[in-house]
Amino acid sequence: MKRIAISVVAALAAVLTGTAVATAATGDTRVSVGSPSTPFSQNKQNEPALAVDANHPSILAAGANDEIDMEACNAGTDNTCPFTPGVGVSGVYFSFDSGATWTQPTYTGLTARDCRGVVGATDPGCTAHTGPIGTLPWYAENGLVSDGDPALAFGPRPGPGGFSWANGSRLYYANLTANVGATRSEQAFKGFEAIAVSRTDNVRAAAESDKAAWMPPVVISRQSSTTFSDKEQIWADNVSSSPYFGTTYVCWASFRGQEKGNAAPAPLQVAVSHDGGDTWTQHQISAAANNSQRNPTDGCTIRTDSHGNAYVFGVGTVPSAGNQAFELMSVSTNGGANWSRPRPVAGPVTQPGTLDPVQGRPVIDGVAGARSDLAPAPSVDIANGAPTGAGATNRIVMTYVSGTLETPHVYFTESTDRGSSWRPPRAIESGGDRGLFAAPAISPNGTDVYVVYNAFTTPYRPTTSTPRALVGVVRHADSSTNPTAPTGAFSELHRGAPGDPRGSSANALLSEFLGDYVYAVATRTYGAGVWNDARNAADCPAIDAWRQALQNGLTPPAPAPEQDCPATFGNSDIYGGSYADPTP
């Protein structure tokens, strides 16, 4: 278990000047504090998620894809950096001071973090074994692997009389999961990837590395032999005035047809639990088609308002609008038993990235860049008055990235009538920023909006030889309890240190890798965000040259990262910050 604090410079300045400085506004801090700086891929983290306990708003929990327990590249063939079979990647982190400091616990499970290999030697490879892990516990013991794509939410703990904040709080952590067993007879579920939910009612014990504080994971997705469940998000109704208080929702895309070399069709699914996550009922929200007429809804997010209405959003094409992509919304007014047909609420939206021929994925920063598949996906929050519903305005705020390759904008839109109408989207990024991923948060009483985003500050690079810059940015705007008034102008609260994303990497080494999203939360007094960060990642000229050769149609052997690159190549981190309301 490791712990790190934010800079003391601001606090020292307060002492010297006699002024008070809020701890939550001093800059940023590393969230993935257990991560070593080397070797790759143990130093690789991305795709952060964040949750705040509405009943105890100084408590935050975060998750990320965290490869802290993987084998080093030198463990086998020195120029390959594989995912060690059986080793999980769903990292978890806790803060009890509103995000000023973070803790990453250590549990036991299948690990390969001590499998380092010998430089230049023909190593026998690495087999995962029981040992220390920095990821979710109890997966290997249940025949599962925690496979990342983290999503977290706090809700009330159930008790004999039902859900009540008096029972305490429950943290839910949804993630992808795979089978440990390699044969069909050993599988815990059918298919390639499923959705599992971990839970704890004692986050302090969990943060202190108490494995027993976590319940065993529950697989919630219905699976067939060809199912790849992906890109899930989770939410718990956290407003005691709601008739569905405590109900938990998970949305995801259910990709099918994997054994035929494709992932179509892919209907959007929502699973609902009314008993604290013990049992789940699954509903298909969108059509399953994935063809020239319709792309299914993907990149979902889910929230509830103070009346218990549940809203699911995703991005998908609309045939009646010329197959253009829009942000789509589906609503349940009865605790998830029934859902409206998804309808467009914002757009059209465009994928700003250009197709990378080696990856077959869109990229924004340059060739061999970080994929931007879900840049146009919606991220949403609602001012629902949590934890009691007091002061709820139920204003819905949404962000996404859309535009051209030259100008990928961070867009903001909102609704004050339960999603019936939406204000025209407006670009809110700081000048010179080219958006990648964005996420909003609105205070429970609807007075403040915070937006976190990752952006590139350099233009698209047609070769890998020129430096690039990635930043994390937090912006703020005052909102209003008046439903006819729009949220005000955004100003910048924080800009993280830039880093060169070429220093990040997919395990296959052929491209950068920054995951698919960032995250934000808000309380009545502060907002917090987490983002992908490359400030500590070293660019590797040998990797750059190899990636460029692949772009040029050549097939040279890959470099060996531990021999041919700086020690901190691949060292992508999760950074975050918390920021006091600047206009209380």
Side-chain angles (χ1 to χ4, degrees):
M1 182 177 68
K2 296 188 177 180
R3 194 171 177 85
I4 192 168
I6 57 177
S7 172
V8 299
V9 172
L12 178 59
V15 173
L16 296 176
T17 62
T19 59
V21 177
T23 301
T26 56
D28 57 31
T29 185
R30 192 159 64 100
V31 176
S32 52
V33 294
S35 167
S37 61
T38 191
F40 185 74
S41 67
Q42 293 179 13
N43 59 5
K44 175 185 174 184
Q45 291 79 38
N46 54 73
E47 206 164 274
L50 186 65
V52 61
D53 184 345
N55 203 43
H56 305 91
S58 65
I59 298 177
L60 301 176
N65 296 336
D66 193 331
E67 298 188 25
I68 185 174
D69 300 314
M70 290 294 163
E71 64 189 81
C73 300
N74 282 344
T77 304
D78 291 359
N79 65 349
T80 62
C81 307
F83 291 98
T84 310
V87 174
V89 297
S90 298
V92 61
Y93 325 92
F94 297 95
S95 175
F96 299 97
D97 51 14
S98 305
T101 62
W102 287 89
T103 296
Q104 181 171 2
T106 299
Y107 306 114
T108 57
L110 287 182
T111 188
R113 63 167 64 179
D114 58 348
C115 197
R116 296 297 187 94
V118 178
V119 174
T122 303
D123 300 303
C126 186
T127 300
H129 57 278
T130 300
I133 61 171
T135 56
L136 290 174
W138 298 119
Y139 278 74
E141 295 86 343
N142 288 278
L144 301 170
V145 183
S146 68
D147 252 5
D149 279 16
L152 293 83
F154 280 99
R157 182 180 180 180
F163 290 99
S164 172
W165 287 121
N167 299 332
S169 302
R170 173 165 290 183
L171 173 64
Y172 299 86
Y173 189 135
N175 70 142
L176 305 184
T177 188
N179 286 294
V180 170
T183 65
R184 201 172 288 269
S185 63
E186 297 173 321
Q187 291 181 345
F189 63 86
K190 295 180 180 179
F192 297 89
E193 294 279 338
I195 307 298
V197 175
S198 292
R199 299 163 292 164
T200 180
D201 294 335
N202 190 341
V203 291
R204 291 192 180 273
E208 294 297 327
S209 303
D210 183 354
K211 184 177 178 179
W214 289 93
M215 303 174 217
V218 177
V219 175
I220 70 170
S221 53
R222 290 200 300 264
Q223 298 284 128
S224 72
S225 61
T226 61
T227 301
F228 192 115
S229 300
D230 199 14
K231 296 305 166 198
E232 85 295 339
Q233 287 294 309
I234 192 168
W235 184 254
D237 190 327
N238 58 357
V239 177
S240 59
S241 64
S242 164
Y244 306 108
F245 180 47
T247 298
T248 307
Y249 305 85
V250 179
C251 62
W252 71 92
S254 181
F255 293 96
R256 300 170 184 172
Q258 296 290 326
E259 291 179 348
K260 297 178 182 179
N262 61 74
L268 183 67
Q269 307 284 343
V270 175
V272 183
S273 176
H274 299 287
D275 57 9
D278 290 338
T279 61
W280 298 79
T281 302
Q282 185 171 322
H283 307 265
Q284 181 171 313
I285 302 300
S286 70
N290 188 345
N291 49 45
S292 60
Q293 283 74 46
R294 182 190 299 271
N295 285 334
T297 309
D298 195 11
C300 71
T301 190
I302 191 162
R303 289 293 186 272
T304 54
D305 66 20
S306 66
H307 305 292
N309 299 310
Y311 304 78
V312 175
F313 298 84
V315 61
T317 55
V318 177
S320 62
N323 292 323
Q324 295 182 95
F326 288 80
E327 311 298 5
L328 307 176
M329 181 184 75
S330 179
V331 182
S332 174
T333 61
N334 57 6
N338 303 100
W339 296 85
S340 66
R341 182 185 299 272
R343 67 177 183 85
V345 297
V349 301
T350 59
Q351 167 58 254
T354 187
L355 187 68
D356 184 273
V358 174
Q359 297 181 65
R361 314 289 280 266
V363 296
I364 292 174
D365 63 321
V367 297
R371 72 186 192 194
S372 60
D373 300 43
L374 293 186
S379 193
V380 175
D381 201 20
I382 301 177
N384 65 2
T388 64
T393 66
N394 292 313
R395 184 183 295 259
I396 309 173
V397 295
M398 176 193 294
T399 59
Y400 55 90
V401 173
S402 178
T404 65
L405 181 62
E406 292 74 22
T407 55
H409 291 298
V410 176
Y411 281 106
F412 174 86
T413 184
E414 59 189 330
S415 172
T416 57
D417 56 8
R418 303 183 188 180
S420 295
S421 62
W422 293 76
R423 292 192 175 272
R426 54 186 165 117
I428 64 166
E429 74 275 5
S430 298
D433 288 348
R434 301 173 60 245
L436 177 61
F437 306 124
I442 186 167
S443 60
N445 58 359
T447 59
D448 294 273
V449 178
Y450 303 83
V451 174
V452 61
Y453 63 80
N454 266 138
F456 303 109
T457 60
T458 46
Y460 178 85
R461 301 300 198 192
T463 72
T464 60
S465 61
T466 308
R468 308 172 184 185
L470 172 78
V471 294
V473 178
V474 181
R475 293 177 68 84
H476 167 270
D478 287 325
S479 193
S480 175
T481 57
N482 180 356
T484 65
T487 294
F490 282 84
S491 60
E492 191 169 290
L493 285 183
H494 179 71
R495 176 171 291 264
D500 193 328
R502 293 179 302 164
S504 70
S505 186
N507 287 62
L509 302 177
L510 54 81
S511 68
E512 303 163 12
F513 193 85
L514 297 171
D516 290 305
Y517 47 81
V518 295
Y519 223 96
V521 298
T523 72
R524 296 169 194 259
T525 59
Y526 75 93
V530 288
W531 59 86
N532 304 289
D533 203 280
R535 71 184 69 177
N536 299 316
D539 176 47
C540 177
I543 291 289
D544 292 340
W546 179 70
R547 290 173 177 172
Q548 186 64 55
L550 297 179
Q551 296 286 324
N552 296 341
L554 304 176
T555 56
E562 291 188 71
Q563 288 88 276
D564 300 326
C565 296
T568 56
F569 168 74
N571 188 26
S572 54
D573 292 305
I574 305 305
Y575 269 73
S578 56
Y579 307 95
D581 176 4
T583 56

